[in-house]
Amino acid sequence: MSTVSWITARGLFGRRRFLLLLPLPGLLLALAILSRSLGVDPGEWGPAVLVGLGLAVVLPVVALIVGTGVLGAEIDDGTVVHILTKPLPRWQIVLPKLAVAAGVTAVTVAVPLYVAGVLAHSVRLGLALAAAASIGALAYCAFFVALSLLTRRPVLLGLVYVLIWEGLLGNFVSGTKVLSIQQYVIALADRIAPTELLATDVSVPVAAVMSALIAVGFTVLAIDRLRSFSVAGETS
């Protein structure tokens, strides 16, 4: 598993798509620092920066870029064949790749969210955002890794989920929030560090259970889907 993890990390950091991870977290950090330095009331900029940008855009988009890249990019360029020819159980391929994707996403997003949370409210809020974002990173990445094995257009479908389901419908149709990873992250962060800057209709038990179900369910789906791949990289 360590070999697969190393190959995945090397491939991820060696691709140009890794550079796409930097602008959004940088923007989040810059806006938080600028708002704090200008003395703007955290009640005015906190929800927009922490939730509207950090949890609604930065976290899912970074997870989408990384999650669809750890296997999807290898399928597209044909290098997945080298992995499929090795006598490894498919779970020993999927789990290390998911771990790398979730880890990279968590670090990339949690650090600027922690700083922004500290600037907006307190160290406790910063830690809460970082912890909840890490849980969200695992759920998002499991979903996007599975999506990369189910369709040839995982990025497009992932954007539909993030922008349409979570972003558009989530703001106007309350029932959709129960199936929104973004809302789970907000609920968990608010439970750890209650604050008026965070608000959601999803309960903590629902958020915790659904996060676990999504992470486990889509991981199992990804493993099962990879079993159907032949050496040619196509489904049998």
Side-chain angles (χ1 to χ4, degrees):
M1 292 180 66
S2 59
T3 301
V4 175
S5 299
W6 168 249
I7 293 174
T8 303
R10 185 177 61 183
L12 179 63
F13 287 103
R15 293 192 180 100
R16 289 184 178 180
R17 74 163 51 199
F18 178 73
L19 297 177
L20 298 175
L21 304 182
L22 304 179
L24 284 176
L27 176 62
L28 169 64
L29 198 57
L31 288 176
I33 295 174
L34 180 62
S35 299
R36 178 59 182 268
S37 63
L38 293 177
V40 182
D41 184 357
E44 297 181 4
W45 66 267
V49 174
L50 299 178
V51 179
L53 178 59
L55 300 183
V57 178
V58 179
L59 174 57
V61 169
V62 169
L64 177 62
I65 294 171
V66 177
T68 57
V70 291
L71 263 173
E74 294 177 352
I75 294 173
D76 291 339
D77 61 24
T79 56
V80 71
V81 173
H82 301 294
I83 298 177
L84 295 176
T85 55
K86 297 183 181 299
L88 289 174
R90 293 309 186 235
W91 66 268
Q92 289 190 9
I93 297 174
V94 172
L95 291 187
K97 288 183 173 294
L98 175 59
V100 170
V104 170
T105 301
V107 172
T108 304
V109 177
V111 173
L113 272 177
Y114 168 77
V115 175
V118 171
L119 294 176
H121 190 270
S122 63
V123 171
R124 182 177 179 181
L125 178 59
L127 292 173
L129 288 169
S134 297
I135 296 173
L138 177 59
Y140 272 122
C141 286
F143 175 47
F144 293 138
V145 167
L147 204 60
S148 70
L149 293 169
L150 293 170
T151 176
R152 291 184 179 277
R153 298 184 182 277
V155 175
L156 176 61
L157 294 180
L159 286 174
V160 169
Y161 172 76
V162 172
L163 299 178
I164 304 300
W165 183 268
E166 291 193 332
L168 183 60
L169 295 180
N171 290 325
F172 298 102
V173 183
S174 59
T176 61
K177 293 182 179 181
V178 180
L179 296 176
S180 170
I181 298 173
Q182 175 195 142
Q183 296 300 318
Y184 307 156
V185 174
I186 296 174
L188 294 173
D190 189 51
R191 176 63 180 84
I192 299 172
T195 172
E196 295 180 354
L197 300 179
L198 305 175
T200 181
D201 297 328
V202 177
S203 67
V204 174
V206 169
V209 171
M210 289 301 295
S211 296
L213 287 177
I214 288 175
V216 173
F218 280 103
T219 299
V220 171
L221 179 60
I223 294 171
D224 182 69
R225 182 64 174 174
L226 192 60
R227 289 196 184 104
S228 69
F229 273 62
S230 65
V231 173
E234 302 291 339
T235 55
S236 57

